Amino acid sequence: MPADPLHRAGNPQRSMTSPPSPGPGGSAVEVRRSARRRRTVSAYREGDRTVVLIPARMSEAEEQRWVNVMLDKLAAQESKRVLGDAELFERAERLSEQHFGGRARPASVRWVTNQNTRWGSCTPSEGSIRLSHRLQGMPEYVVDYVLVHELAHLLVPGHGSDFWRLLEAYPRTERARGYLEGVVAADRLPHLPAARDE
């Protein structure tokens, strides 16, 4: 296989391995390979894109795995910052625009502390969406999934096939559902007594 022309002497030491691909919420992910990097991987937000820096020698499979790891890591860091109701409303409007062409128009979106058995709820006749405070601190893509789910209810009230077809617009639906199912399953596990110092 011929040497990568971007890594020959005299040429830049980093390159984009592929055109930016969609990340969570439709934002672009740009992977930059570097011959100087040996083992470390890092990522940061640059405007509306995520840049992931990896060693040039990584295989495509390793690249994809590390992109997913770094996206999750950034999302976890960002989710530690609790969104206020106004930011949550703006986020819902953006998600509606991205996934439903702006057709789902909430009148209000807010956090509530009285929903302990559901992640979110919607009253289509009022256009109100409520998210459980238990979502605070979860990865961004999980919160976005719940918002998209409730936004879809503004267009289709029930959980029939039309509703689930609408949710296909959100690319991380299955992953977010799996995450939430894992949280529910973990809550059902018996809690072990704390270890005592002997």
Side-chain angles (χ1 to χ4, degrees):
M1 182 156 102
D4 181 352
L6 291 172
H7 294 134
R8 287 188 195 134
N11 285 322
Q13 291 298 307
R14 65 182 192 180
S15 68
M16 192 167 68
T17 59
S18 58
S21 57
S27 63
V29 176
E30 178 181 329
V31 177
R32 295 181 186 164
R33 289 177 174 264
S34 170
R36 292 182 190 169
R37 272 182 190 270
R38 294 288 174 228
R39 291 188 304 242
T40 61
V41 176
S42 62
Y44 60 91
R45 304 285 191 209
E46 188 177 81
D48 64 347
R49 73 176 56 216
T50 302
V51 177
V52 181
L53 307 170
I54 65 171
R57 62 174 175 70
M58 275 193 180
S59 69
E60 285 186 31
E62 288 174 308
E63 173 186 317
Q64 190 55 55
R65 184 177 71 81
W66 275 105
V67 165
N68 289 333
V69 165
M70 297 312 287
L71 287 174
D72 285 346
K73 190 173 184 177
L74 283 174
Q77 289 169 354
E78 291 166 351
S79 69
K80 288 178 183 167
R81 185 180 72 84
V82 175
L83 299 174
D85 288 349
E87 293 169 303
L88 200 59
F89 183 83
E90 288 172 14
R91 189 182 202 114
E93 286 186 318
R94 264 195 320 273
L95 289 166
S96 174
E97 194 60 45
Q98 286 174 343
H99 303 294
F100 304 127
R103 292 181 299 130
R105 296 174 190 228
S108 67
V109 182
R110 62 191 174 94
W111 296 108
V112 293
T113 57
N114 63 351
Q115 286 189 159
N116 293 315
T117 58
R118 40 172 79 182
W119 299 112
S121 62
C122 173
T123 307
S125 61
E126 298 173 2
S128 62
I129 292 174
R130 295 159 303 281
L131 264 56
S132 172
H133 72 287
R134 295 178 306 138
L135 289 165
Q136 294 173 340
M138 289 190 187
E140 194 175 273
Y141 73 92
V142 175
V143 176
D144 285 354
Y145 163 72
V146 177
L147 277 172
V148 169
H149 183 107
E150 301 309 332
L151 286 165
H153 279 309
L154 294 177
L155 303 173
V156 179
H159 286 104
S161 58
D162 289 345
F163 173 82
W164 294 110
R165 260 195 300 280
L166 273 178
L167 274 192
E168 290 173 5
Y170 183 64
R172 299 185 91 179
T173 290
E174 289 307 313
R175 187 170 190 182
R177 285 174 59 114
Y179 184 99
L180 292 171
E181 287 170 6
V183 170
V184 170
D187 284 346
R188 291 183 183 146
L189 292 173
H191 295 284
L192 299 174
R196 284 190 245 160
D197 293 332
E198 296 190 18

